Amino acid sequence: MIVRYLEERIGTEYDVDTPTWNSRRLLLKEDGAGFSLHDTQIKAGTETMIWYKHHVEAVYCIEGEGEIELVNTKEKFPIRPGMMYVLNGHEKHWLRGKTDMRMVCVFNPPCTGLEVHDEEGAYAAPTAN
Ligand code: 9YT
């Protein structure tokens, strides 16, 4: 069994900050659960192009308001507390925070911990081990 508290991760190497989001990685590949779990803050007034080519991500909003726009179809979905989306088709998208948003994110395969988006908005392909 693994037990952790968010405050143990804040300000450590597991707390990854970018200009548009800040991701606190609570559970990672090294923990062996088969998925990773992140408590992510999206910064107000930002937009981020994201394209997880190698991962499926589930996102559950627990605070704030924003929207997701799919690049290919131009569909937009409002994000608010209680809204969940899953990028099970590796959809390229814009993520916009109207206010600060707080999202619980699950990745399969799990993130290793220190990923930031590359120029295409992707995380690197997982390695074999
Ligand atoms: C919701 C979303 O995709 N935010 C970008 C960061 C990512 N979820 C992460 O690494 O926590």
Side-chain angles (χ1 to χ4, degrees):
M1 181 178 174
I2 300 167
V3 177
R4 288 190 182 126
Y5 297 88
L6 178 61
E7 62 265 27
E8 298 168 1
R9 297 301 232 200
I10 290 174
T12 72
E13 63 182 314
Y14 298 101
D15 183 353
V16 177
D17 191 44
T18 79
T20 58
W21 53 264
N22 175 34
S23 178
R24 291 79 62 94
R25 276 80 192 256
L26 289 163
L27 188 75
L28 290 168
K29 181 179 179 183
E30 66 197 21
D31 296 307
F35 57 90
S36 60
L37 178 68
H38 312 178
D39 182 324
T40 300
Q41 295 169 312
I42 309 298
K43 299 177 185 179
T46 65
E47 63 174 8
T48 311
M49 168 72 74
I50 300 175
W51 188 16
Y52 294 123
K53 290 183 271 186
H54 312 291
H55 298 79
V56 171
E57 184 195 28
V59 180
Y60 183 60
C61 177
I62 56 172
E63 289 175 13
E65 286 181 32
E67 70 172 15
I68 178 172
E69 178 179 351
L70 303 186
V71 170
N72 286 349
T73 64
K74 308 259 188 284
E75 285 173 286
K76 291 182 182 178
F77 302 92
I79 299 174
R80 54 182 161 74
M83 186 269 203
M84 189 264 331
Y85 63 87
V86 183
L87 299 160
N88 57 338
H90 304 283
E91 291 90 348
K92 189 175 188 176
H93 60 282
W94 286 102
L95 181 62
R96 300 188 179 101
K98 184 173 167 188
T99 67
D100 286 338
M101 294 194 291
R102 189 162 172 213
M103 326 284 265
V104 178
C105 307
V106 175
F107 280 83
N108 180 21
C111 291
T112 58
L114 302 179
E115 291 95 343
V116 291
H117 296 148
D118 67 15
E119 64 283 352
E120 288 190 313
Y123 285 156
T127 51
N129 62 343

